[in-house]
Amino acid sequence: MGFSSKDLAAGEEIVFSLHPHWWRVAPSVVGLVLSCALGVAALANSWPGWLAAAVGVLVLFTLGHFAIRYAQWASTHFVLTTERLVFRKGLVAKSGVEIPLDKVNTVFFEQSVWGRIFGFGTIKIESASEQGAQVFSDVRKPQLAQNLIYQQIEANQAKDIRAMGEAVGAATGRSEPSIPDQIEKLGELRDKGIITEEEFQRKKAELLERM
């Protein structure tokens, strides 16, 4: 059950779409396996009727618990698109959070010892959106997810800079804006929070070297 492409805007693409790590359903799987093993033992050894009935109830309970946990796992999505981060969960009663990438300030990840062993962790997104900081748990390969988020943000910023340069060039009749104009536009992007001060200084130095 994947994230639907019908939810994407025109020109928007999915970078990754993740369910929570399988760790989230592991306890219910273990419980179901153990209860089934007891059920087999009860049938094979002709346990007393009341005990066999109790084991049967236990099997049904663990089966139901597993079904619920699996449905929750399958209906939970942590998605990065070319424009936003999306978190959605629920089959009937649904809830979700969407964070535009141009509002993301910082992405943190944390992993416990078990998380490092099995490859899952928690991601915290600090943003300038109305939701503020958001925490997403049991994310698979959180460090890779963090890197992909930052890479997409940088790609979007580079695209915005190119588009702005092309727009300025079209308005002035030049195929490419002058270096001072490009630096000025970069300053505007920095002031708007689209690029950081570090990115502004790095790009400014590259432009000055071309003069």
Side-chain angles (χ1 to χ4, degrees), residues 31-49 51-60 62:
L32 179 60
V33 170
L34 292 176
S35 66
C36 288
L38 282 176
V40 171
L43 292 174
N45 295 285
S46 300
W47 288 5
L51 185 56
V55 171
V57 171
L58 178 63
V59 170
L60 291 176
T62 55

Side-chain angles (χ1 to χ4, degrees), residues 170-188:
T172 60
R174 295 193 298 266
S175 58
E176 182 179 0
S178 66
I179 288 178
D181 285 344
Q182 291 184 59
I183 294 175
E184 180 181 354
K185 295 302 180 184
L186 284 171
E188 293 176 0

